[in-house]
Amino acid sequence: MVDAFDRLARPVQKWIRQQGWSTLHEIQVRSVHAVLDDECDLIVMASTAGGKTEAVFLPLISNCLEGESESGFSVLSISPLKALINDQYRRIEDICRDTEIVVTPWHGDVSNSKKTKSLKNPGGILIITPESIEAMFVRRGPEIPVLFNHLSAIVIDELHTFLDSERGVQLLSLLTRLEIAIGKPVRRIGLSATLGDPALAATALRPDNPDDVRIEEASDRGSELRLQLKGYTTGVSDDAGSADAEIANHLFEKL
């Protein structure tokens, strides 16, 4: 099998070298092959700070660079929170800094001028919340086919936050409406650190065909979580302050 690094576009390889990485994480290697091998839906699971964002965007950006340049967003990234959009925007824009790929964050704090510019000349990667997509359908419904006609992938960050919830139902409805508007299915890629039931997540990602959702899970699930429970029983004391201080000191002893 060709090395995962060698399958990436040269500007992406350059970015990896600039980070001083000696190798890609295991989940990144597997995800690069998964994204580039076929067009199947995909779920990537790894611990927090395990490199999930890079695992899918390194190959997706490579695809954007090697594909034909056409008007319309290439990748739609959906995030549940504004803070996560800001973080993802910073990381993805850094990967794209030596390319001509435009990365656009979309939430209430982003200026209208920046949003208008991206709508007039749509392209690259759009990072947005479900509610903002809904607003786009309401305000700019006829423009949806033009904006997303050349969409190659939809990335759902923190997929677990959308499971078994009204917001998840809303997101699924939006994805279906989007595919109907552009007249074709678009591959869906879910990112998550905590998924107790991958089969449930696959059904949430692609309800009509969950068995074809590819699941890549990091073998290293992250650091061990250690929990200590302490309880105290004290009798009546003339020196309550001393007893409180003793308990406080014990509470902050290292495990």
Side-chain angles (χ1 to χ4, degrees), residues 4 19 82 92-93 114 149 164 182 193 197 202:
Q19 308 315 299
K82 180 174 67 176
I92 297 171
E93 187 182 46
K114 187 167 188 175
N149 190 47
D164 196 25
I182 63 178
D197 187 351

Side-chain angles (χ1 to χ4, degrees), residues 89-236:
Y89 167 65
R90 183 175 63 253
R91 295 166 67 181
I92 297 171
E93 187 182 46
D94 191 46
I95 300 173
C96 295
R97 65 189 176 202
D98 290 325
T99 74
E100 295 182 357
I101 296 176
V102 177
V103 185
T104 304
W106 191 293
H107 54 66
D109 291 345
V110 177
S111 67
N112 287 330
S113 61
K114 187 167 188 175
K115 293 177 181 177
T116 300
K117 181 179 178 181
S118 70
L119 292 174
K120 287 182 177 179
N121 188 26
I125 301 168
L126 177 65
I127 313 175
I128 195 170
T129 63
E131 290 74 20
S132 291
I133 298 176
E134 181 77 62
M136 196 176 288
F137 266 101
V138 172
R139 298 171 185 170
R140 299 180 177 273
E143 299 175 39
I144 295 296
V146 176
L147 295 173
F148 297 102
N149 190 47
H150 299 294
L151 198 63
S152 63
I154 299 170
V155 179
I156 304 171
D157 194 22
E158 302 294 331
L159 177 63
H160 58 278
T161 65
F162 295 106
L163 300 183
D164 196 25
S165 67
E166 291 182 359
R167 203 176 186 207
V169 173
Q170 176 203 24
L171 175 58
L172 185 59
S173 172
L174 288 168
L175 296 183
T176 302
R177 289 161 61 190
L178 180 59
E179 290 183 339
I180 292 173
I182 63 178
K184 65 178 182 179
V186 181
R187 96 181 305 184
R188 302 174 186 179
I189 301 176
L191 306 180
S192 184
T194 53
L195 281 178
D197 187 351
L200 175 64
T203 300
L205 189 69
R206 184 68 73 175
D208 57 341
N209 201 9
D211 292 339
D212 284 347
V213 176
R214 181 168 174 172
I215 298 175
E216 295 291 348
E217 180 177 5
S219 56
D220 178 10
R221 296 304 300 271
S223 303
E224 178 187 14
L225 176 64
R226 302 179 66 193
L227 176 67
Q228 185 181 59
L229 179 65
K230 297 182 178 183
Y232 300 90
T233 302
T234 59
V236 178

